[in-house]
Amino acid sequence: MQVTIKQVAQRAGVSVATVSYVLNGTGTVTDETRQRVLDAVAELNYQPRYAARSMRGRSRTLGVTLSTLPGRLAEPALTEVLAGVADAAVLRGYFLLLATANADQDETELCLSLARTRRVDGLVLLDMLVDDPRAQALAGAGIPHVCAGPPPAGIDSPSVAIDMHTAAVDAVRHLLGLGHRRIGLIQLPSELAVSDLIVEGYRQALTEAGLPFDPTLVIESGRTEEDGYQAMTELLASPKPPTAVLAGSDELAFGAMHALNDACLIVGRDVSLVGFDDLPQAAHVNPPLTTMRQPRRVQGQQLTMLLDDVILKRNTSLRTVTLSARLIVRRSSGPAPVS
Amino acid sequence: MQVTIKQVAQRAGVSVATVSYVLNGTGTVTDETRQRVLDAVAELNYQPRYAARSMRGRSRTLGVTLSTLPGRLAEPALTEVLAGVADAAVLRGYFLLLATANADQDETELCLSLARTRRVDGLVLLDMLVDDPRAQALAGAGIPHVCAGPPPAGIDSPSVAIDMHTAAVDAVRHLLGLGHRRIGLIQLPSELAVSDLIVEGYRQALTEAGLPFDPTLVIESGRTEEDGYQAMTELLASPKPPTAVLAGSDELAFGAMHALNDACLIVGRDVSLVGFDDLPQAAHVNPPLTTMRQPRRVQGQQLTMLLDDVILKRNTSLRTVTLSARLIVRRSSGPAPVS
DNA sequence: ACACTTCGCTTAACCGTTTTACTACTTAAT
DNA sequence: ATTAAGTAGTAAAACGGTTAAGCGAAGTGT
């Protein structure tokens, strides 16, 4: 059988309340009594049951939901954020509950359900969509949550976002500076909130340079390497293929790089390639990938801390954190070839 | 305020017990009463509180612990297994609790604590070590758990392991078949349970071919790409560098590949390289990596199902599942250069 | 010397479910 | 007609903690 607070109390010769007070540091207890209790706790190896404890008060758990898609956890960009979330969670004394949506319950319902059953104190929303239904529902129900990316228009959910617009501008400027004039864009799925921001930045940088916006150079793709491969193949098949390509993520860029290899084009000489993320692998592919480094790990940490603030209703003036991406130049981008 | 079972009972004009019976399908209830209850539940949008519910019975949560090392979640090999664990967990009706060890509590204590506080019904042990202390402690305390890899000697914890010995033999045979005679090994940290198995397989395959075991060709490394880079650099610096190298993981192989690139050696021609895992990226590096595909996702799924069986004390004759790795030949391995 | 606080602890209420024990009513069998 | 055996429900006791309220003993100010 499990050891309960009652047994500890009996052994220490005090009431259960006193044990609880000692363990939580709440009541007023003599040093001598405290010691007796602590001894009893140690001898019996007592640990309070979580369910009983959280019947009153918080569950000390943060929720992270995943869509039905199997294998979401295997995506590096997502796990980088998650790693940050997890690292900060332990510092703030939270556990992390990972819940996957299924056929009977979509992700929004899952979020609501986790909160309503008090399984979690708050939720971290990864992978924000345009008009994200999760954020809308949670904001509507007054459930603590934070968004990893821009919250939907009209909803003022706390968020930690990376300024993707500026990042895209910087990336394109880099390519313009290298003399490129035909610059392609392999876009993340347009339902993602970041997708539009990147396109807008791309567009702005071109306009600044007096270049027209050519829709045939922009391809909406998926999120996997495979998707990047196909998108690049498509770009190469066009009558006037680009001399440089910006990919919406490193994963897409890796796929694109593979397609360029298969087409016997040398990346960084024949075609320049810029990614988005700076995953650990980015430095180790051949050639090493020029990319906009996103501080994903930091984003995750900040998300957790912000969520903790929201849960504890701390007066946080700063409910919208914006981080910047930074251009990391490697060998996948080089001067435009002389035509 | 939260809606409770009492309010539902009141609205349906029945006792709380009846509501509970309806919701759990336990007692005997008229169809008419059942409907009244279900209506009330729907109208009030009632969801039973998790803490109260799990005071009796199980917590319907599986635990996964991570070591103190920040960013463990960003390791692709680990997240592949985790993705499998998560995918199967939702099918069996479990949530996943992700807990990180910290300064006051090492991973073993964390595991024990999660079980004793009844926060989880069972634990999945990833990243098995030689004589893994977690498995020893959990087996000793009779706590349900499963090991992703071989359990420590003398402990018969249920496990889902991949036959790394045979896999290593197959990998080396592949290289031998291509004519290689000096084959290096970049080894995972020797504290990992898989590490020894790979070395043994490597050794056996060499012996079969009548080749001597040369300790200078075996380098114990870490687990990151950076570690692989350094190990490869070290191998290249030796007086007689190998013409082929087997790496203990794809990550190590990626790092090794990078080192070979930097040394202006062409992978697959000058030096052959074989990895271990077949991560999604493996097909997309340049050149694509020959590797021993490990069914990590499946391993994760089986881990969850096996753990569920253990928790429910189902009569599982099969408490030790062994999966096989499969050689995937790509372009990073080729015929030995004529010397 | 008296009322008033503070200290250190206990008793008991409470949290929201599940489950046990029991009751009133029907139906079936003797 | 009487008893046995379901049926459909209720009231109350767990479950294992936290916390509010209460209560003597000791200290304090007048």
mmCIF file of all heavy atoms in Angstrom, chain B residues 179-186 202 214-219 231-246 259-260 263 265 269-272 336-339:
data_model
loop_
_atom_site.group_PDB
_atom_site.id
_atom_site.type_symbol
_atom_site.label_atom_id
_atom_site.label_comp_id
_atom_site.label_asym_id
_atom_site.label_seq_id
_atom_site.Cartn_x
_atom_site.Cartn_y
_atom_site.Cartn_z
ATOM 1 N N GLY B 179 34.697 -4.105 -50.801
ATOM 2 C CA GLY B 179 36.149 -4.204 -50.942
ATOM 3 C C GLY B 179 36.949 -3.455 -49.886
ATOM 4 O O GLY B 179 38.180 -3.449 -49.917
ATOM 5 N N HIS B 180 36.244 -2.831 -48.940
ATOM 6 C CA HIS B 180 36.986 -2.087 -47.910
ATOM 7 C C HIS B 180 37.679 -3.035 -46.955
ATOM 8 O O HIS B 180 37.133 -4.085 -46.597
ATOM 9 C CB HIS B 180 36.032 -1.166 -47.140
ATOM 10 C CG HIS B 180 35.469 -0.075 -48.008
ATOM 11 N ND1 HIS B 180 36.129 1.089 -48.274
ATOM 12 C CD2 HIS B 180 34.304 0.009 -48.708
ATOM 13 C CE1 HIS B 180 35.403 1.852 -49.078
ATOM 14 N NE2 HIS B 180 34.281 1.206 -49.359
ATOM 15 N N ARG B 181 38.887 -2.687 -46.551
ATOM 16 C CA ARG B 181 39.634 -3.522 -45.620
ATOM 17 C C ARG B 181 40.042 -2.755 -44.362
ATOM 18 O O ARG B 181 40.316 -3.336 -43.329
ATOM 19 C CB ARG B 181 40.887 -4.103 -46.309
ATOM 20 C CG ARG B 181 40.584 -5.228 -47.311
ATOM 21 C CD ARG B 181 39.867 -6.393 -46.637
ATOM 22 N NE ARG B 181 39.367 -7.397 -47.581
ATOM 23 C CZ ARG B 181 38.128 -7.418 -48.048
ATOM 24 N NH1 ARG B 181 37.261 -6.492 -47.672
ATOM 25 N NH2 ARG B 181 37.740 -8.367 -48.883
ATOM 26 N N ARG B 182 40.116 -1.460 -44.477
ATOM 27 C CA ARG B 182 40.355 -0.642 -43.272
ATOM 28 C C ARG B 182 39.071 0.115 -42.951
ATOM 29 O O ARG B 182 38.738 1.113 -43.584
ATOM 30 C CB ARG B 182 41.498 0.361 -43.494
ATOM 31 C CG ARG B 182 42.886 -0.287 -43.458
ATOM 32 C CD ARG B 182 43.991 0.752 -43.472
ATOM 33 N NE ARG B 182 44.041 1.588 -42.271
ATOM 34 C CZ ARG B 182 44.496 1.177 -41.103
ATOM 35 N NH1 ARG B 182 44.924 -0.056 -40.964
ATOM 36 N NH2 ARG B 182 44.516 1.992 -40.068
ATOM 37 N N ILE B 183 38.350 -0.400 -41.985
ATOM 38 C CA ILE B 183 37.032 0.157 -41.665
ATOM 39 C C ILE B 183 37.043 0.762 -40.267
ATOM 40 O O ILE B 183 37.365 0.080 -39.288
ATOM 41 C CB ILE B 183 35.944 -0.937 -41.747
ATOM 42 C CG1 ILE B 183 35.925 -1.523 -43.171
ATOM 43 C CG2 ILE B 183 34.580 -0.396 -41.358
ATOM 44 C CD1 ILE B 183 34.974 -2.684 -43.344
ATOM 45 N N GLY B 184 36.743 2.032 -40.197
ATOM 46 C CA GLY B 184 36.745 2.715 -38.901
ATOM 47 C C GLY B 184 35.378 2.646 -38.234
ATOM 48 O O GLY B 184 34.358 2.341 -38.869
ATOM 49 N N LEU B 185 35.344 2.939 -36.942
ATOM 50 C CA LEU B 185 34.084 2.979 -36.202
ATOM 51 C C LEU B 185 34.054 4.218 -35.316
ATOM 52 O O LEU B 185 34.946 4.428 -34.495
ATOM 53 C CB LEU B 185 33.928 1.716 -35.348
ATOM 54 C CG LEU B 185 32.712 1.686 -34.409
ATOM 55 C CD1 LEU B 185 31.411 1.696 -35.197
ATOM 56 C CD2 LEU B 185 32.763 0.460 -33.497
ATOM 57 N N ILE B 186 33.049 5.027 -35.524
ATOM 58 C CA ILE B 186 32.833 6.163 -34.620
ATOM 59 C C ILE B 186 31.713 5.754 -33.681
ATOM 60 O O ILE B 186 30.564 5.597 -34.079
ATOM 61 C CB ILE B 186 32.451 7.441 -35.391
ATOM 62 C CG1 ILE B 186 33.575 7.826 -36.353
ATOM 63 C CG2 ILE B 186 32.197 8.581 -34.414
ATOM 64 C CD1 ILE B 186 33.276 9.058 -37.184
ATOM 65 N N TYR B 202 30.633 -5.109 -34.942
ATOM 66 C CA TYR B 202 31.738 -4.630 -35.787
ATOM 67 C C TYR B 202 32.891 -5.615 -35.725
ATOM 68 O O TYR B 202 33.439 -6.066 -36.742
ATOM 69 C CB TYR B 202 32.135 -3.250 -35.273
ATOM 70 C CG TYR B 202 33.449 -2.694 -35.745
ATOM 71 C CD1 TYR B 202 33.553 -2.032 -36.972
ATOM 72 C CD2 TYR B 202 34.587 -2.783 -34.943
ATOM 73 C CE1 TYR B 202 34.759 -1.484 -37.385
ATOM 74 C CE2 TYR B 202 35.788 -2.241 -35.345
ATOM 75 C CZ TYR B 202 35.876 -1.592 -36.571
ATOM 76 O OH TYR B 202 37.069 -1.044 -36.954
ATOM 77 N N ASP B 214 41.610 -3.502 -35.076
ATOM 78 C CA ASP B 214 42.614 -2.452 -34.846
ATOM 79 C C ASP B 214 42.008 -1.349 -33.975
ATOM 80 O O ASP B 214 41.163 -0.586 -34.441
ATOM 81 C CB ASP B 214 43.046 -1.884 -36.202
ATOM 82 C CG ASP B 214 44.076 -0.781 -36.047
ATOM 83 O OD1 ASP B 214 44.336 -0.337 -34.907
ATOM 84 O OD2 ASP B 214 44.634 -0.359 -37.089
ATOM 85 N N PRO B 215 42.415 -1.279 -32.699
ATOM 86 C CA PRO B 215 41.793 -0.322 -31.771
ATOM 87 C C PRO B 215 41.954 1.126 -32.218
ATOM 88 O O PRO B 215 41.132 1.976 -31.872
ATOM 89 C CB PRO B 215 42.543 -0.554 -30.455
ATOM 90 C CG PRO B 215 43.345 -1.795 -30.646
ATOM 91 C CD PRO B 215 43.515 -2.026 -32.094
ATOM 92 N N THR B 216 42.987 1.423 -33.018
ATOM 93 C CA THR B 216 43.174 2.825 -33.423
ATOM 94 C C THR B 216 42.091 3.255 -34.409
ATOM 95 O O THR B 216 41.910 4.441 -34.662
ATOM 96 C CB THR B 216 44.546 3.036 -34.085
ATOM 97 O OG1 THR B 216 44.601 2.297 -35.317
ATOM 98 C CG2 THR B 216 45.678 2.573 -33.164
ATOM 99 N N LEU B 217 41.369 2.283 -34.960
ATOM 100 C CA LEU B 217 40.311 2.641 -35.906
ATOM 101 C C LEU B 217 38.973 2.866 -35.203
ATOM 102 O O LEU B 217 37.987 3.226 -35.829
ATOM 103 C CB LEU B 217 40.146 1.528 -36.950
ATOM 104 C CG LEU B 217 41.252 1.435 -37.993
ATOM 105 C CD1 LEU B 217 40.994 0.290 -38.951
ATOM 106 C CD2 LEU B 217 41.365 2.742 -38.777
ATOM 107 N N VAL B 218 38.948 2.624 -33.899
ATOM 108 C CA VAL B 218 37.702 2.779 -33.148
ATOM 109 C C VAL B 218 37.801 4.000 -32.240
ATOM 110 O O VAL B 218 38.710 4.090 -31.415
ATOM 111 C CB VAL B 218 37.402 1.530 -32.301
ATOM 112 C CG1 VAL B 218 36.138 1.735 -31.481
ATOM 113 C CG2 VAL B 218 37.262 0.312 -33.187
ATOM 114 N N ILE B 219 36.909 4.925 -32.423
ATOM 115 C CA ILE B 219 36.945 6.140 -31.611
ATOM 116 C C ILE B 219 35.644 6.283 -30.840
ATOM 117 O O ILE B 219 34.559 6.260 -31.430
ATOM 118 C CB ILE B 219 37.147 7.384 -32.500
ATOM 119 C CG1 ILE B 219 38.529 7.291 -33.163
ATOM 120 C CG2 ILE B 219 37.020 8.652 -31.689
ATOM 121 C CD1 ILE B 219 39.044 8.595 -33.668
ATOM 122 N N ALA B 231 35.516 13.370 -34.319
ATOM 123 C CA ALA B 231 35.979 11.987 -34.394
ATOM 124 C C ALA B 231 36.533 11.677 -35.779
ATOM 125 O O ALA B 231 37.578 11.052 -35.930
ATOM 126 C CB ALA B 231 34.828 11.042 -34.047
ATOM 127 N N MET B 232 35.826 12.147 -36.797
ATOM 128 C CA MET B 232 36.273 11.894 -38.173
ATOM 129 C C MET B 232 37.603 12.584 -38.423
ATOM 130 O O MET B 232 38.506 12.012 -39.048
ATOM 131 C CB MET B 232 35.211 12.420 -39.150
ATOM 132 C CG MET B 232 35.420 12.003 -40.582
ATOM 133 S SD MET B 232 35.109 10.232 -40.853
ATOM 134 C CE MET B 232 36.601 9.769 -41.728
ATOM 135 N N THR B 233 37.712 13.811 -37.934
ATOM 136 C CA THR B 233 38.965 14.549 -38.096
ATOM 137 C C THR B 233 40.125 13.763 -37.489
ATOM 138 O O THR B 233 41.196 13.650 -38.071
ATOM 139 C CB THR B 233 38.846 15.921 -37.399
ATOM 140 O OG1 THR B 233 37.674 16.572 -37.890
ATOM 141 C CG2 THR B 233 40.063 16.791 -37.694
ATOM 142 N N GLU B 234 39.833 13.190 -36.334
ATOM 143 C CA GLU B 234 40.850 12.410 -35.637
ATOM 144 C C GLU B 234 41.243 11.183 -36.472
ATOM 145 O O GLU B 234 42.432 10.875 -36.618
ATOM 146 C CB GLU B 234 40.262 11.957 -34.292
ATOM 147 C CG GLU B 234 41.279 11.707 -33.197
ATOM 148 C CD GLU B 234 40.581 11.436 -31.878
ATOM 149 O OE1 GLU B 234 39.628 12.194 -31.540
ATOM 150 O OE2 GLU B 234 40.958 10.464 -31.203
ATOM 151 N N LEU B 235 40.235 10.501 -37.009
ATOM 152 C CA LEU B 235 40.519 9.320 -37.831
ATOM 153 C C LEU B 235 41.368 9.671 -39.050
ATOM 154 O O LEU B 235 42.283 8.940 -39.427
ATOM 155 C CB LEU B 235 39.212 8.672 -38.298
ATOM 156 C CG LEU B 235 38.498 7.747 -37.312
ATOM 157 C CD1 LEU B 235 37.169 7.273 -37.884
ATOM 158 C CD2 LEU B 235 39.376 6.543 -36.980
ATOM 159 N N LEU B 236 41.045 10.835 -39.641
ATOM 160 C CA LEU B 236 41.778 11.237 -40.849
ATOM 161 C C LEU B 236 43.226 11.584 -40.540
ATOM 162 O O LEU B 236 44.099 11.476 -41.403
ATOM 163 C CB LEU B 236 41.079 12.438 -41.503
ATOM 164 C CG LEU B 236 39.740 12.148 -42.181
ATOM 165 C CD1 LEU B 236 39.121 13.427 -42.706
ATOM 166 C CD2 LEU B 236 39.933 11.134 -43.303
ATOM 167 N N ALA B 237 43.444 11.996 -39.300
ATOM 168 C CA ALA B 237 44.794 12.411 -38.927
ATOM 169 C C ALA B 237 45.722 11.227 -38.665
ATOM 170 O O ALA B 237 46.935 11.386 -38.557
ATOM 171 C CB ALA B 237 44.731 13.304 -37.685
ATOM 172 N N SER B 238 45.135 10.028 -38.550
ATOM 173 C CA SER B 238 45.968 8.867 -38.223
ATOM 174 C C SER B 238 46.862 8.535 -39.426
ATOM 175 O O SER B 238 46.544 8.884 -40.563
ATOM 176 C CB SER B 238 45.086 7.674 -37.847
ATOM 177 O OG SER B 238 44.451 7.172 -38.987
ATOM 178 N N PRO B 239 47.967 7.838 -39.171
ATOM 179 C CA PRO B 239 48.901 7.537 -40.253
ATOM 180 C C PRO B 239 48.262 6.752 -41.401
ATOM 181 O O PRO B 239 48.499 7.053 -42.555
ATOM 182 C CB PRO B 239 49.985 6.707 -39.557
ATOM 183 C CG PRO B 239 49.446 6.335 -38.218
ATOM 184 C CD PRO B 239 48.441 7.361 -37.866
ATOM 185 N N LYS B 240 47.452 5.766 -41.057
ATOM 186 C CA LYS B 240 46.753 5.039 -42.129
ATOM 187 C C LYS B 240 45.247 5.167 -41.945
ATOM 188 O O LYS B 240 44.620 4.312 -41.330
ATOM 189 C CB LYS B 240 47.149 3.557 -42.124
ATOM 190 C CG LYS B 240 48.449 3.285 -42.900
ATOM 191 C CD LYS B 240 48.714 1.786 -43.041
ATOM 192 C CE LYS B 240 47.797 1.128 -44.073
ATOM 193 N NZ LYS B 240 48.039 -0.333 -44.177
ATOM 194 N N PRO B 241 44.651 6.226 -42.470
ATOM 195 C CA PRO B 241 43.208 6.448 -42.240
ATOM 196 C C PRO B 241 42.380 5.364 -42.926
ATOM 197 O O PRO B 241 42.823 4.763 -43.908
ATOM 198 C CB PRO B 241 42.957 7.816 -42.876
ATOM 199 C CG PRO B 241 44.129 8.123 -43.715
ATOM 200 C CD PRO B 241 45.264 7.271 -43.301
ATOM 201 N N PRO B 242 41.196 5.104 -42.391
ATOM 202 C CA PRO B 242 40.315 4.092 -42.955
ATOM 203 C C PRO B 242 39.755 4.524 -44.311
ATOM 204 O O PRO B 242 39.677 5.729 -44.593
ATOM 205 C CB PRO B 242 39.192 3.984 -41.935
ATOM 206 C CG PRO B 242 39.207 5.292 -41.227
ATOM 207 C CD PRO B 242 40.617 5.761 -41.215
ATOM 208 N N THR B 243 39.359 3.564 -45.121
ATOM 209 C CA THR B 243 38.694 3.893 -46.391
ATOM 210 C C THR B 243 37.182 3.865 -46.231
ATOM 211 O O THR B 243 36.447 4.236 -47.136
ATOM 212 C CB THR B 243 39.071 2.892 -47.503
ATOM 213 O OG1 THR B 243 38.555 1.592 -47.150
ATOM 214 C CG2 THR B 243 40.577 2.810 -47.656
ATOM 215 N N ALA B 244 36.733 3.378 -45.081
ATOM 216 C CA ALA B 244 35.291 3.347 -44.816
ATOM 217 C C ALA B 244 35.079 3.534 -43.323
ATOM 218 O O ALA B 244 35.920 3.143 -42.515
ATOM 219 C CB ALA B 244 34.690 2.031 -45.273
ATOM 220 N N VAL B 245 33.960 4.139 -42.989
ATOM 221 C CA VAL B 245 33.675 4.406 -41.579
ATOM 222 C C VAL B 245 32.217 4.086 -41.275
ATOM 223 O O VAL B 245 31.320 4.455 -42.040
ATOM 224 C CB VAL B 245 33.974 5.875 -41.223
ATOM 225 C CG1 VAL B 245 33.484 6.196 -39.827
ATOM 226 C CG2 VAL B 245 35.460 6.165 -41.347
ATOM 227 N N LEU B 246 32.020 3.396 -40.172
ATOM 228 C CA LEU B 246 30.680 3.161 -39.664
ATOM 229 C C LEU B 246 30.463 4.090 -38.476
ATOM 230 O O LEU B 246 31.295 4.149 -37.567
ATOM 231 C CB LEU B 246 30.540 1.699 -39.225
ATOM 232 C CG LEU B 246 29.245 1.310 -38.493
ATOM 233 C CD1 LEU B 246 28.032 1.501 -39.383
ATOM 234 C CD2 LEU B 246 29.328 -0.145 -38.012
ATOM 235 N N ALA B 259 33.116 16.674 -41.941
ATOM 236 C CA ALA B 259 34.568 16.680 -41.783
ATOM 237 C C ALA B 259 35.245 16.208 -43.066
ATOM 238 O O ALA B 259 36.271 16.762 -43.495
ATOM 239 C CB ALA B 259 34.967 15.790 -40.604
ATOM 240 N N LEU B 260 34.660 15.205 -43.704
ATOM 241 C CA LEU B 260 35.229 14.695 -44.951
ATOM 242 C C LEU B 260 35.151 15.756 -46.040
ATOM 243 O O LEU B 260 36.114 15.956 -46.801
ATOM 244 C CB LEU B 260 34.477 13.425 -45.379
ATOM 245 C CG LEU B 260 34.752 12.200 -44.506
ATOM 246 C CD1 LEU B 260 33.766 11.078 -44.796
ATOM 247 C CD2 LEU B 260 36.179 11.706 -44.723
ATOM 248 N N ALA B 263 37.761 18.182 -45.583
ATOM 249 C CA ALA B 263 39.092 17.650 -45.924
ATOM 250 C C ALA B 263 39.204 17.415 -47.429
ATOM 251 O O ALA B 263 40.174 16.808 -47.892
ATOM 252 C CB ALA B 263 39.336 16.356 -45.165
ATOM 253 N N LEU B 265 37.600 15.470 -49.304
ATOM 254 C CA LEU B 265 37.465 14.077 -49.712
ATOM 255 C C LEU B 265 36.034 13.872 -50.162
ATOM 256 O O LEU B 265 35.104 14.444 -49.585
ATOM 257 C CB LEU B 265 37.774 13.144 -48.528
ATOM 258 C CG LEU B 265 39.240 13.151 -48.089
ATOM 259 C CD1 LEU B 265 39.407 12.483 -46.732
ATOM 260 C CD2 LEU B 265 40.102 12.460 -49.140
ATOM 261 N N ARG B 269 33.292 7.970 -52.578
ATOM 262 C CA ARG B 269 34.346 7.627 -53.531
ATOM 263 C C ARG B 269 35.668 7.450 -52.769
ATOM 264 O O ARG B 269 36.212 6.370 -52.688
ATOM 265 C CB ARG B 269 34.478 8.719 -54.589
ATOM 266 C CG ARG B 269 35.253 8.259 -55.827
ATOM 267 C CD ARG B 269 35.617 9.441 -56.716
ATOM 268 N NE ARG B 269 36.590 10.321 -56.055
ATOM 269 C CZ ARG B 269 37.035 11.467 -56.569
ATOM 270 N NH1 ARG B 269 36.573 11.900 -57.725
ATOM 271 N NH2 ARG B 269 37.925 12.193 -55.920
ATOM 272 N N ASP B 270 36.111 8.562 -52.144
ATOM 273 C CA ASP B 270 37.374 8.484 -51.399
ATOM 274 C C ASP B 270 37.183 7.741 -50.085
ATOM 275 O O ASP B 270 38.002 6.916 -49.695
ATOM 276 C CB ASP B 270 37.900 9.887 -51.121
ATOM 277 C CG ASP B 270 38.127 10.666 -52.409
ATOM 278 O OD1 ASP B 270 38.417 10.020 -53.440
ATOM 279 O OD2 ASP B 270 37.995 11.907 -52.395
ATOM 280 N N VAL B 271 36.136 8.067 -49.410
ATOM 281 C CA VAL B 271 35.842 7.410 -48.136
ATOM 282 C C VAL B 271 34.351 7.056 -48.108
ATOM 283 O O VAL B 271 33.509 7.900 -48.432
ATOM 284 C CB VAL B 271 36.178 8.325 -46.933
ATOM 285 C CG1 VAL B 271 35.772 7.646 -45.630
ATOM 286 C CG2 VAL B 271 37.660 8.663 -46.906
ATOM 287 N N SER B 272 34.043 5.832 -47.738
ATOM 288 C CA SER B 272 32.644 5.435 -47.615
ATOM 289 C C SER B 272 32.162 5.653 -46.186
ATOM 290 O O SER B 272 32.949 5.581 -45.239
ATOM 291 C CB SER B 272 32.468 3.961 -47.987
ATOM 292 O OG SER B 272 32.554 3.822 -49.393
ATOM 293 N N ALA B 336 35.698 0.333 -52.582
ATOM 294 C CA ALA B 336 36.938 0.818 -51.985
ATOM 295 C C ALA B 336 37.834 1.356 -53.090
ATOM 296 O O ALA B 336 37.898 0.786 -54.176
ATOM 297 C CB ALA B 336 37.621 -0.324 -51.250
ATOM 298 N N PRO B 337 38.481 2.489 -52.841
ATOM 299 C CA PRO B 337 39.396 3.035 -53.852
ATOM 300 C C PRO B 337 40.565 2.079 -54.055
ATOM 301 O O PRO B 337 41.039 1.468 -53.105
ATOM 302 C CB PRO B 337 39.848 4.365 -53.253
ATOM 303 C CG PRO B 337 39.560 4.277 -51.808
ATOM 304 C CD PRO B 337 38.474 3.280 -51.617
ATOM 305 N N VAL B 338 41.042 1.984 -55.296
ATOM 306 C CA VAL B 338 42.222 1.153 -55.524
ATOM 307 C C VAL B 338 43.422 1.898 -54.987
ATOM 308 O O VAL B 338 43.638 3.069 -55.296
ATOM 309 C CB VAL B 338 42.391 0.848 -57.034
ATOM 310 C CG1 VAL B 338 41.404 -0.217 -57.443
ATOM 311 C CG2 VAL B 338 42.220 2.095 -57.863
ATOM 312 N N SER B 339 44.182 1.245 -54.133
ATOM 313 C CA SER B 339 45.278 1.975 -53.476
ATOM 314 C C SER B 339 46.569 1.878 -54.270
ATOM 315 O O SER B 339 46.848 0.890 -54.909
ATOM 316 C CB SER B 339 45.487 1.407 -52.071
ATOM 317 O OG SER B 339 45.593 0.012 -52.106
#
